[in-house]
Amino acid sequence: MNNEVVIKCENISKTFPTADGTAFDVIADFSIEVNKNEFVVLIGPGQCGKTTLINIIAGLEEATSGIVTVGGELVTEPDPKIGVVYQETNLFPWLTVMGNVEFGPKAQGESKASRQERAQKYIDLVGLTGFENQHPNKLSGGMQQRVGIARVYTNEPLVLLLDEPFGHLDAQTRYLMEEELEKIWRQERRTVLFVTNNLEEAIFLADRIVLMTNCPSTVKQEYIIDLPRPRDITSREFLKIREEISKNLDLTS
Ligand SMILES: Nc1ncnc2c1ncn2[C@@H]1O[C@H](COP(=O)(O)OP(=O)(O)O)[C@@H](O)[C@H]1O
Ligand SMILES: [Mg+2]
């Protein structure tokens, strides 16, 4: 394991004002480090502040206190080196699959040949070869998430933040997407922070799992998952880890 820290959150707190004038503490003193090419999964109850934290790391939201650095630089605003995939794919409906995937480098002024070559590589990698000229509304939910993943990879960000990207998918498609994502990550290593509320998904994907508490949320516990990849979710070792973590996991909020 390479121990160069790429994402670093130090003592992050976030308080939202509420309608009645009181303060709502969502995140309190949250610290985490993600090493280069490490796959860390954050797991916690609904409404515990996972998306808020992702938005803070992405530079879309300001922490009330604490600091975030990515690649050693303070995050103060969105930056192309920080790629984000949300539960909602937010694809441009008027653009084709290729149009969506090449969007970032096109906006940066990269030449057509160069950006489309890279876009094609990731379209192929996510299994969408032949769908380049389709529009997103013609694709299933799982395929739309594949476009989202190809798009974020094509931007070649330093880090990937994935916020419950498979949360809207049916169980079958979800398994398939977890397998695909894990395969892509083994081929194209990236520093990943992945958010979920699904323990099986977390153990399938993670080098390390970080458990969050309820609001105001902080780190409850960390688990190193050193099972060989790709993982067999029915293996004894897998089930043993699942049992151990679930003792500590309260996903009700
Ligand atoms: N802009 C905001 N203003 C006020 N409250 C917010 C805002 N954004 C999120 N919250 C509240 O913060 C809590 C955590 O939200 P969120 O980060 O979306 O949680 P999670 O992603 O873990 O489900 C929720 O109670 C939500 O209503
Ligand atoms: Mg969320």
Side-chain angles (χ1 to χ4, degrees), residues 33-235:
E33 290 183 353
V34 184
N35 297 317
K36 188 171 169 56
N37 295 342
E38 190 182 21
F39 200 124
V40 171
V41 175
L42 262 182
I43 182 166
Q47 307 291 304
C48 80
K50 301 182 295 296
T51 296
T52 303
L53 187 75
I54 290 293
N55 286 339
I56 290 170
I57 300 171
L60 294 162
E61 186 121 54
E62 207 180 337
T64 307
S65 63
I67 59 167
V68 178
T69 60
V70 168
E73 287 171 29
L74 207 58
V75 175
T76 54
E77 57 184 4
D79 187 307
K81 74 175 176 235
I82 306 169
V84 196
V85 177
Y86 291 101
Q87 203 166 17
E88 297 75 27
T89 45
N90 301 321
L91 299 174
F92 299 119
W94 60 88
L95 294 178
T96 61
V97 167
M98 175 57 85
N100 272 282
V101 174
E102 69 167 346
F103 185 84
K106 186 178 179 183
Q108 300 279 320
E110 187 176 332
S111 77
K112 188 171 173 180
S114 157
R115 72 181 188 245
Q116 290 202 344
E117 187 189 348
R118 199 164 67 255
Q120 189 66 53
K121 170 182 156 187
Y122 289 113
I123 288 170
D124 295 344
L125 196 63
V126 300
L128 285 178
T129 314
F131 291 92
E132 294 81 359
N133 298 318
Q134 296 279 350
H135 284 80
N137 63 358
K138 294 279 191 324
L139 306 176
S140 67
M143 287 164 89
Q144 291 185 20
Q145 274 302 1
R146 289 168 194 262
V147 179
I149 290 167
R151 178 175 59 180
V152 79
Y153 263 93
T154 300
N155 291 333
E156 301 200 306
L158 179 67
V159 303
L160 288 177
L161 309 177
L162 300 160
D163 186 8
E164 303 199 46
F166 309 142
H168 280 333
L169 304 177
D170 61 87
Q172 196 65 36
T173 310
R174 186 175 187 146
Y175 286 138
L176 198 67
M177 292 299 293
E178 290 164 10
E179 284 176 0
E180 293 276 334
L181 177 68
E182 202 264 349
K183 203 170 78 189
I184 293 165
W185 176 80
R186 273 188 284 127
Q187 284 179 40
E188 293 269 333
R189 288 282 162 147
R190 288 290 142 125
T191 304
V192 177
L193 185 60
F194 184 105
V195 166
T196 187
N197 59 16
N198 182 304
L199 181 55
E200 203 163 77
E201 180 170 85
I203 303 169
F204 184 73
L205 293 170
D207 291 322
R208 183 156 53 95
I209 294 178
V210 176
L211 232 64
M212 291 171 84
T213 63
N214 266 310
C215 274
S217 61
T218 189
V219 174
K220 186 173 184 184
Q221 189 136 7
E222 296 198 10
Y223 297 89
I224 305 275
I225 311 295
D226 55 8
L227 297 176
R229 295 171 181 273
R231 292 169 179 162
D232 174 2
I233 61 170
T234 61
S235 73

